[in-house]
Amino acid sequence: NGWSANKVKKGYSVITLYRSDDDKNNPKESITIEIGSPLDPSVKTSAKVYAQSNSGKYSKLPFDVDGNTAYRVKIPDSGKYGPRACIVAHHRGKACFIVANTSSEEDLWSVLEQLVKTWKWN
């Protein structure tokens, strides 16, 4: 199954990718990319705050996303559609959250890892 993007209007800082066979009004899985101004200049703090706001945990060990430091955030299953995994990075003064959302028990880490392996900042 492939992924397809929703239509994003100019000026929005959120892009959502859906599985091509999924109902976009009631998805089972999606990947959301959110870009905006960080609350703090530290990417580690951004990851920590995102984890806390979603009852999750962030990795203490950073990794690289196209030359930028990033952190993984794991969010517990709530039993309904929502974020389960997130990769947080900062680039050129913006915070980037790459979020895997699901309503199933599907582990979407492999999808996120594959996405950031080929990630290129413009």
Side-chain angles (χ1 to χ4, degrees), residues 4 10 27 32 41 46 56 59 62 66 69 79 83-84 87 90 95 102 108 117 120:
S4 62
K10 188 176 180 178
T32 304
S46 290
S59 62
D66 191 31
T69 300
R84 297 291 182 278
I87 294 174
H90 283 188
T102 184
L108 296 177
K117 261 191 223 181
K120 297 291 178 205

Side-chain angles (χ1 to χ4, degrees), residues 12-70:
Y12 281 34
S13 59
V14 176
I15 297 171
T16 303
L17 303 172
Y18 300 95
R19 288 205 183 268
S20 56
D21 61 346
D22 212 352
D23 177 1
K24 293 177 184 164
N25 295 316
N26 189 21
K28 292 184 183 93
E29 300 171 348
S30 69
I31 302 294
T32 304
I33 302 166
E34 303 173 23
I35 300 174
S37 298
L39 298 175
D40 188 275
S42 163
V43 66
K44 186 174 184 177
T45 300
S46 290
K48 183 178 178 181
V49 169
Y50 187 86
Q52 288 172 340
S53 67
N54 287 284
S55 302
K57 295 185 180 201
Y58 73 100
S59 62
K60 305 286 191 235
L61 298 174
F63 71 105
D64 181 81
V65 174
D66 191 31
N68 293 90
T69 300

Side-chain angles (χ1 to χ4, degrees), residues 69-87:
T69 300
Y71 288 88
R72 294 172 180 90
V73 177
K74 183 175 181 173
I75 300 149
D77 185 354
S78 65
K80 57 185 178 181
Y81 177 80
R84 297 291 182 278
C86 179
I87 294 174

